[in-house]
Amino acid sequence: MPVDRLVEDSLRALPPRRPHERPLPGRLGAVLPERLHAWRRIGQPDVRPSVHLGYARQILTEWGWQNTPYRLRNARGARCLCGAMLTAHRLGYGSLDTVDRAGAWLITELRSQGWSGLIGPWNRHPGRTAADALALIDATIHRAALAGH
């Protein structure tokens, strides 16, 4: 195998480089309408889906996870999986294309775990916990990062 290919494969296996850290808005930011965070997108570079999912995970960890049917967030600011990905976009972490690609990686991971439905029904399935949601995002981040995404 050529050395260039070995180097390329090794670099692809590395975890993604974290972009410049910008802390999430506090608890007040969690309950504010999403459109008020749009200014944070100005001048932000696009990120890989694995990095975007890392920010969605941070949102779920800091602001909470919820599984109310057909709601992206609750009154306290907790998000479902899809709500966390959209909020990460609104906060400036990735484009809408990145959100789509991250969602595709999430679906791929769900399929590998035997779930044939969509993300929303998985999120609100009876007995689902925040730990389950975080484990799914962690597995998806790992899968996407190994693929160089």
Side-chain angles (χ1 to χ4, degrees):
M1 183 176 281
V3 173
D4 294 345
R5 172 78 187 249
L6 289 171
V7 170
E8 183 179 305
D9 290 346
S10 297
L11 290 174
R12 190 176 300 120
L14 290 174
R17 182 182 303 158
R18 295 194 66 164
H20 173 69
E21 271 310 305
R22 290 184 303 141
L24 291 179
R27 291 298 309 156
L28 178 61
V31 297
L32 289 175
E34 302 284 327
R35 66 184 176 277
L36 296 180
H37 295 296
W39 67 270
R40 293 174 61 98
R41 294 204 43 70
I42 298 170
Q44 292 302 315
D46 203 5
V47 296
R48 298 182 341 189
S50 57
V51 174
H52 174 81
L53 286 164
Y55 285 112
R57 185 191 195 289
Q58 184 180 0
I59 289 165
L60 291 176
T61 302
E62 292 184 23
W63 291 356
W65 171 80
Q66 64 92 22
N67 63 350
T68 305
Y70 308 106
R71 303 287 298 188
L72 294 174
R73 57 183 278 176
N74 64 17
R76 293 180 298 110
R79 268 62 173 183
C80 67
L81 286 170
C82 293
M85 290 191 306
L86 287 172
T87 299
H89 161 67
R90 291 278 172 88
L91 291 173
Y93 304 117
S95 64
L96 283 176
D97 180 57
T98 304
V99 176
D100 288 342
R101 292 187 346 229
W105 279 108
L106 206 53
I107 291 287
T108 301
E109 183 60 32
L110 284 172
R111 297 293 181 271
S112 76
Q113 294 181 11
W115 182 265
S116 61
L118 297 175
I119 300 166
W122 182 93
N123 190 79
R124 64 180 175 269
H125 191 266
R128 194 73 66 208
T129 66
D132 296 336
L134 293 176
L136 175 65
I137 284 195
D138 289 341
T140 306
I141 290 169
H142 181 72
R143 179 182 291 268
L146 283 178
H149 292 251

